[in-house]
Amino acid sequence: MEKVRQPETREVARPRHRLGVRAGTALCVGAILGPGVLTLPSSAAAAAGPASLVAWVGLVILSLPVALSFAALGGRYPDGGGVATYVHRAFGAAASAPVGWWFYWGVPIGVSSGALIGGEYVALAAGWGPGAAPMIALLVLVAAALANLAGLQMSGRVQLLMVGLLAVLLLVTITVAAGHVQADNFRPFLPQGWTSVGSAASVLFFAFAGWEAISHLSAEFAAPRRDLPKVTLLSWGIVSSLYIGLAVVTIGVLGGGAGRTTTPLTLVLEAGIGSPARMVAAAVGLFLTFGAVNAYLAGGARLGAALGRDGALPRTLVSDTSEAGTVPRRSLVVITVTGMAITLAAAVNVITLDTLLRATSACLTAVTMAGVVAAVVLLPRGSALRTSAIIGSVVIAVVLGFCGLYLLLPAGLAGGAVAYRALRGRGTAGPDRTPVRNSSERSSP
């Protein structure tokens, strides 16, 4: 393989406000700990019963090498292009454009599905019925977009508050339900055989997608090489503890009923606190949804600007202001409006929530696979980080195989990216030229 020339780095003016460990951890946890946790314990239990706990623990352990790979890349190559930048450095411009499209156009699908999940929980708790869920989802999308338009510093503060409240609420759920766990609910432990654990793991991967989202914010850190590993380990510890805790109490409290409900969190809370459970579950759902949507819009907006800068999308997506550290507003508007359109399509039953979840998973799995393979090429040979990337690539390859026909979506987006570059008639500027450390900065054509 021809070695890609490494660019010289141009120093740019640092924005006055930069992400630190606390705000970065909040954004990362918000991206990982999405609204899928409201339903995934039930989905996994339906697939494997109590043995779904094996899938939870296995994915928690195996997600660490993937997370560390993205942290290492973000620290070495901080740029708003995220995974697309890493793939560009490893394999060239032709490979990076499809990766950028997978994430950028996967964001509105993902935020729409996440907002709808949260909307259904809130609508059920308030007694409004499922018809109100799309309206709640639209409000969440607008609120998250406004938080991002206020600037990353404001967005980070909002995220820090939301994640803090969310962690407390989930800890309260685990604590109050722990006293109602019954050992008999874990028997038989393997009602459908060991193959069912693999089935549960394929469902649960949606809960572990998101490590690549923080890579698009790597250039916003004051010291990415120092802070990103800290942010990753802190986020992994928080998310892992909450996931496993919720999975245990869901099985332990609900037993066989865990796989027969779409609102397991509400039922688990009802066992511990009674009638107020629905409102508490609604609050958890709202915080989870807002946190995930906020983080993905933040990362997606910066990716769109970086792709516009690099020629993989229209240049109009580059920020309309020259001030460093500002949000790429045009890019943010594009993915927000697209997400709202998808939400409205789901509201009139043009597309189902299950389809949205599977489509998002296919796109994010493809992005994650591209990222860890790029890490294998870019990270130092013989290093522990490169070994982590190799392990991560094997894990993601197995998960990718479970996406089935939904892989047609990333294949179609890859075709669109290639066609756009061909019609544009010129190569991307990207990392092979002079990269900017902040995707919102203007760069010369």
Side-chain angles (χ1 to χ4, degrees):
M1 180 183 299
E2 182 182 357
K3 184 177 180 180
V4 178
R5 179 174 61 86
Q6 296 301 313
E8 296 179 0
T9 301
R10 173 163 56 94
E11 293 297 329
V12 298
R14 287 184 177 273
R16 182 173 57 182
H17 298 299
R18 307 283 285 186
L19 278 177
V21 173
R22 288 191 304 171
T25 300
L27 284 167
C28 191
V29 170
I32 306 298
L33 194 66
V37 75
L38 298 174
T39 58
L40 288 174
S42 176
S43 300
S52 62
L53 295 176
V54 176
W56 278 106
V57 173
L59 285 175
V60 161
I61 295 171
L62 294 175
S63 68
L64 184 57
V66 175
L68 290 175
S69 298
F70 283 115
L73 290 174
R76 285 165 172 76
Y77 313 109
D79 185 79
V83 179
T85 294
Y86 312 148
V87 172
H88 193 146
R89 286 181 175 271
F91 305 112
S96 69
V99 175
W101 277 48
W102 290 339
F103 191 93
Y104 188 71
W105 296 115
V107 165
I109 303 173
V111 297
S112 174
S113 58
L116 285 167
I117 291 174
E120 288 183 355
Y121 248 81
V122 173
L124 177 63
W128 294 334
M135 297 305 299
I136 298 171
L138 289 173
L139 289 174
V140 170
L141 287 172
V142 171
L146 290 176
N148 276 279
L149 285 173
L152 187 62
Q153 183 71 9
M154 176 65 73
S155 179
R157 287 174 179 172
V158 171
Q159 194 80 352
L160 188 60
L161 175 62
M162 294 295 101
V163 170
L165 291 174
L166 169 62
V168 171
L169 287 171
L170 291 180
L171 283 173
V172 167
T173 300
I174 295 169
T175 302
V176 300
H180 299 271
V181 170
Q182 299 180 22
D184 288 344
N185 287 333
F186 294 94
R187 293 190 289 265
F189 186 74
L190 209 63
Q192 301 176 54
W194 282 107
T195 56
S196 65
V197 176
S199 177
S202 68
V203 174
L204 292 176
F205 183 77
F206 186 84
F208 293 88
W211 291 113
E212 74 286 347
I214 199 66
S215 66
H216 299 289
L217 302 175
S218 59
E220 306 290 346
F221 282 83
R225 194 157 187 169
R226 179 195 68 196
D227 291 345
L228 273 174
K230 296 178 183 178
V231 166
T232 298
L233 289 174
L234 283 171
S235 301
W236 180 81
I238 293 169
V239 169
S240 299
S241 300
L242 294 175
Y243 274 171
I244 294 177
L246 285 172
V248 169
V249 297
T250 298
I251 297 292
V253 172
L254 302 182
R260 297 193 296 269
T261 177
T262 58
T263 56
L265 190 65
T266 299
L267 298 181
V268 168
L269 271 173
E270 283 181 339
I273 64 176
S275 57
R278 286 199 172 191
M279 294 308 298
V280 175
V284 172
L286 193 59
F287 290 145
L288 276 169
T289 300
F290 182 84
V293 171
N294 184 45
Y296 272 93
L297 288 182
R302 284 160 179 78
L303 171 61
L307 293 173
R309 173 201 69 194
D310 296 347
L313 282 174
R315 185 161 178 77
T316 53
L317 292 181
V318 178
S319 180
D320 50 351
T321 177
S322 59
E323 182 183 353
T326 55
V327 173
R329 296 183 178 181
R330 292 168 184 164
S331 178
L332 176 65
V333 168
V334 168
I335 54 177
T336 301
V337 171
T338 304
M340 294 173 70
I342 293 172
T343 303
L344 290 173
V348 296
N349 297 319
V350 172
I351 190 169
T352 66
L353 178 58
D354 180 70
T355 298
L356 291 177
L357 289 171
R358 293 179 181 275
T360 305
S361 181
C363 287
L364 293 182
T365 305
V367 171
T368 304
M369 184 65 186
V372 292
V373 171
V376 172
V377 174
L378 294 173
L379 295 178
R381 292 183 180 275
S383 66
L385 289 173
R386 187 170 185 269
T387 301
S388 293
I390 293 173
I391 296 172
S393 65
V394 173
V395 173
I396 302 304
V398 173
V399 176
L400 198 63
F402 284 100
C403 293
L405 291 176
Y406 285 91
L407 289 177
L408 292 174
L409 176 59
L413 290 173
V418 172
Y420 179 83
R421 292 187 73 248
L423 291 173
R424 191 179 179 95
R426 63 185 179 89
T428 54
D432 282 337
R433 293 179 66 185
T434 305
V436 291
R437 289 192 177 279
N438 189 294
S439 63
S440 61
E441 178 189 315
R442 288 188 182 275
S443 56
S444 59

